[in-house]
Amino acid sequence: MAGLIAEMAARYAREDGDRGPALMPLGGVGRQEGERVVDLDAPLLGHATREIRDLLKRGDSFGLHIRDVKRAVHLDRGGCLALLAATVDAGYLTAPEDLNEVQHCSNCRTDDCEYHDYRTWTLTPAGRSLAHASGRKPSTRKNADALVAKVVKAARAVNADPDATLWWVKEIRAVGPYAEPGQESLLHVDLAVDLRPRLDDPAEQRKAEQRLRDAARDRGERTRVWDMVGYGHWRTRLALAGRSKVVRMFHHAGEVEGRLLFREERDLTVSPVATVPYPRPAEVPLNNCSWCGRQVQAARVAQRGAPLASSPIGLCERCLSLGWTDDLQYQGSLEVWSWRAVRELRAALPEEPFHSSGCALCGRTDAVERPWWPGDDRDGSGGGGHEPILLRLCGVCPGLLQLVDTSGREGWWCARHELACLAGMHALLHRRAGVEEVAADAKKARKRPRLTAVHRDVLARVDEHGALSARDLDRAPFSQNHQDYRWWQVRLAHLFDHRLIAMVRDGDEEARELGAQDQRARAGPGGTAWCAAHAGTDLGRRAGP
């Protein structure tokens, strides 16, 4: 295993920005990548480094098109091409081979159409390094010593109960810049950690870790964060340094020269008692769906943090797709394709409802028969010449079926309506099963949002006019031709989520109070107006980029 890790470390090592010690990361593959830190406000290629960094990040996976650059930096086609050329000269991008050829668009019958120009600029290693650069400030040695003291304290706690994670800490040494006494400015605190398994029999160690992993899966822990060594190894690393971006821990196969920070004098590795082969607990399905009430095979679901194997709530294949969110943990399927199930169920439900009385989907009595429309059209016309269909649904199932209960409402509001119905579905499921919902973890204090020049301009214009909608911003003289009301909705959604603007009107003729400023305004026809909240406008004037 050590030889395999060393081979993969040499194959996947990155040279750009890598200043870490010549050690393998604890539990990972490849050497520890050094984090490149830049001044995000410094000028670069005629723009702020933050804008160039964000632009390159857009093209990290599939490259950059002209329309991507135009949406990011708000320049015309000539300005975008000039910026791309400067980025290529700086060594961050590679230009396409057919750059100088004229691209004739077969859709709009014009030359050099940025909407259908699929020439791609790809990132170089230097561009990829800048795309993932950070503006984090270096730490002081005093703060680094405090972090190391916490790691040492956590190591003593791990060794006090090694059966909890099945690993224990033998030794911790300082390496890298932290090992140099005269180094005061530290970007990272590098530690060489020697972890030992609790059991000296590798087979018994694997079986014991599998038991820990299955118990964690039953609690709803995610699997994508576990490292290649094992679940207990990952829990030990998490207990030592958490997910700190400053503390980096490395594995060493031999002797490492560095200041000794911690050493365990006891040998905590023990000989286990031989056990039979460990079988993974099989999932016991339910024979009744908790939502639609049909007598079909249903998979158990539970909130994250609640035991899954004993959960009395089960959803059938169709209802599972309707109610799939991050708050539900489903054991037995790796992927849930919700859209296909939604389309099939929405088309079949009017012909064969699940219940003859009450809601056609869940059977709840508080359901009203009203016209709904097939397909994805939400304007009430039915789309494609089809007439709206009559369907009896309750107040929760419309959102699960991806429908909107008000004609002409935007798709953005459809998503919010769906999330609200999902919350109602989960509450009803727990109420029917007679179990309490798991209390959500207390959220951290809201950070001050990063406002771009566009966001600050929108706040100023909303404050000036009293109330504006996305369509008003789209029709404004300063709006770029490539921007439409959906582009402005994304910017307004950012301000709305951070409570910097408030909703004024939602499709009817009722005027509402404009936030804390006690102003009144009316939106344009068929739109939702926004006004600047009192604290929001003040924050918008103060916040930096």
Side-chain angles (χ1 to χ4, degrees):
M1 177 62 71
L4 177 62
I5 293 178
E7 181 182 353
M8 299 180 72
R11 180 177 301 178
Y12 295 103
R14 279 178 48 184
E15 297 298 335
D16 51 302
D18 192 350
R19 297 174 180 264
L23 301 171
M24 292 175 291
L26 196 67
V29 176
R31 289 186 296 163
Q32 179 72 41
E33 293 182 6
E35 182 182 10
R36 181 176 178 182
V37 176
V38 297
D39 184 3
L40 296 179
D41 297 325
L44 178 64
L45 304 179
H47 296 264
T49 304
R50 186 192 306 276
E51 295 185 6
I52 303 299
R53 191 272 312 263
D54 295 344
L55 173 62
L56 295 176
K57 189 180 296 184
R58 286 173 175 252
D60 187 23
S61 300
F62 305 103
L64 286 172
H65 296 163
I66 295 180
R67 58 182 179 273
D68 298 327
V69 183
K70 196 171 183 181
R71 291 170 182 169
V73 296
H74 314 300
L75 297 174
D76 56 11
R77 180 180 177 81
C80 292
L81 289 174
L83 177 59
L84 287 171
T87 310
V88 171
D89 294 338
Y92 299 127
L93 291 176
T94 300
E97 297 180 356
D98 56 346
L99 177 60
N100 297 325
E101 299 179 5
V102 178
Q103 298 290 320
H104 182 72
C105 180
S106 58
N107 293 343
C108 57
R109 306 296 179 182
T110 59
D111 294 335
D112 295 331
C113 173
E114 67 268 14
Y115 293 104
H116 304 97
D117 190 350
Y118 299 107
R119 289 177 295 189
T120 304
W121 281 257
T122 57
L123 269 67
T124 63
R128 189 172 292 107
S129 177
L130 180 58
H132 296 278
S134 171
R136 186 168 59 87
K137 302 300 181 183
S139 179
T140 62
R141 179 162 289 273
K142 180 180 179 180
N143 294 336
D145 292 338
L147 290 175
V148 171
K150 292 182 180 180
V151 174
V152 172
K153 181 180 179 181
R156 294 193 178 97
V158 168
N159 291 350
D161 187 14
D163 292 324
T165 59
L166 296 176
W167 289 80
W168 59 281
V169 185
K170 176 63 177 177
E171 188 179 87
I172 301 178
R173 288 183 177 271
V175 293
Y178 181 66
E180 302 175 5
Q183 188 74 21
E184 292 295 332
S185 179
L186 298 169
L187 186 60
H188 295 102
V189 177
D190 296 327
L191 304 176
V193 182
D194 185 9
L195 293 185
R196 304 289 179 89
R198 174 62 167 167
L199 307 178
D200 59 3
D201 187 351
E204 295 297 331
Q205 176 77 12
R206 287 194 298 269
K207 287 189 286 186
E209 288 210 41
Q210 187 63 43
R211 296 187 186 96
L212 285 181
R213 180 173 178 174
D214 289 337
R217 182 185 291 107
D218 186 63
R219 296 192 302 270
E221 288 190 11
R222 303 178 186 270
T223 59
R224 63 173 179 259
V225 295
W226 300 344
D227 59 35
M228 61 181 299
V229 182
Y231 174 77
H233 192 273
W234 172 73
R235 291 297 308 179
T236 307
R237 292 192 299 109
L238 199 64
L240 291 176
R243 295 179 174 86
S244 174
K245 296 182 179 180
V246 179
V247 178
R248 302 191 304 184
M249 297 185 298
F250 298 88
H251 164 75
H252 58 89
E255 294 294 332
V256 175
E257 296 182 0
R259 181 162 55 94
L260 181 65
L261 302 175
F262 172 80
R263 174 177 289 171
E264 178 61 62
E265 301 298 337
R266 301 171 295 170
D267 187 3
L268 299 180
T269 300
V270 297
S271 299
V273 178
T275 59
V276 297
Y278 173 70
R280 179 179 175 179
E283 178 187 359
V284 180
L286 300 176
N287 297 322
N288 182 59
C289 179
S290 301
W291 183 250
C292 66
R294 296 182 299 160
Q295 297 295 326
V296 294
Q297 190 175 20
R300 296 180 187 270
V301 295
Q303 281 184 285
R304 200 168 302 279
L308 178 63
S310 59
S311 175
I313 303 175
L315 295 178
C316 65
E317 183 179 0
R318 288 183 169 178
C319 293
L320 179 68
S321 299
L322 296 176
W324 177 260
T325 63
D326 289 339
D327 294 331
L328 288 178
Q329 172 70 18
Y330 173 50
Q331 179 177 343
S333 177
L334 297 179
E335 296 176 342
V336 177
W337 300 96
S338 59
W339 279 101
R340 179 178 179 181
V342 167
R343 290 195 300 265
E344 293 177 353
L345 181 58
R346 193 167 52 182
L349 197 62
E351 302 295 335
E352 299 180 1
F354 291 164
H355 300 276
S356 58
S357 61
C359 179
L361 177 59
C362 67
R364 297 176 63 223
T365 57
D366 52 344
V368 179
E369 188 177 55
R370 54 171 299 179
W372 296 100
W373 52 93
D376 293 328
D377 292 327
R378 302 188 178 99
D379 57 358
S381 62
H386 299 287
E387 295 294 331
I389 58 176
L390 294 177
L391 191 62
R392 185 175 56 254
L393 295 175
C394 64
V396 178
C397 289
L400 303 179
L401 291 170
Q402 308 270 353
L403 300 176
V404 181
D405 57 353
T406 300
S407 61
R409 184 173 290 179
E410 305 292 347
W412 180 55
W413 282 106
C414 174
R416 290 185 177 273
H417 179 73
E418 178 197 358
L419 292 177
C421 292
L422 282 174
M425 176 188 185
H426 298 166
L428 290 173
L429 285 173
H430 286 81
R431 189 183 309 169
R432 289 179 181 178
V435 295
E436 296 183 358
E437 296 187 59
V438 177
D441 297 336
K443 295 184 178 181
K444 297 181 179 179
R446 182 186 296 270
K447 295 182 179 179
R448 189 174 69 175
R450 181 174 67 87
L451 299 180
T452 64
V454 176
H455 290 120
R456 291 195 296 271
D457 190 26
V458 170
L459 278 175
R461 293 182 181 276
V462 171
D463 191 24
E464 176 184 358
H465 296 279
L468 287 175
S469 67
R471 294 187 182 276
D472 295 331
L473 292 171
D474 177 36
R475 290 191 293 261
F478 62 87
S479 178
Q480 301 289 335
N481 294 329
H482 72 280
Q483 298 169 356
D484 55 15
Y485 72 96
R486 290 170 297 183
W487 189 92
W488 287 108
Q489 274 187 334
V490 175
R491 275 70 196 166
L492 291 172
H494 174 77
L495 299 175
F496 179 77
D497 290 338
H498 289 284
R499 302 176 185 176
L500 300 182
I501 57 176
M503 183 175 61
V504 180
R505 195 171 69 84
D506 185 17
D508 52 20
E509 296 300 327
E510 176 187 1
R512 301 180 181 177
E513 185 175 334
L514 296 185
Q517 296 180 348
D518 196 21
Q519 304 176 24
R520 292 187 177 275
R522 291 183 177 273
T528 301
W530 310 88
C531 69
H534 182 67
T537 49
D538 184 57
L539 176 60
R541 297 188 185 102
R542 297 197 315 264

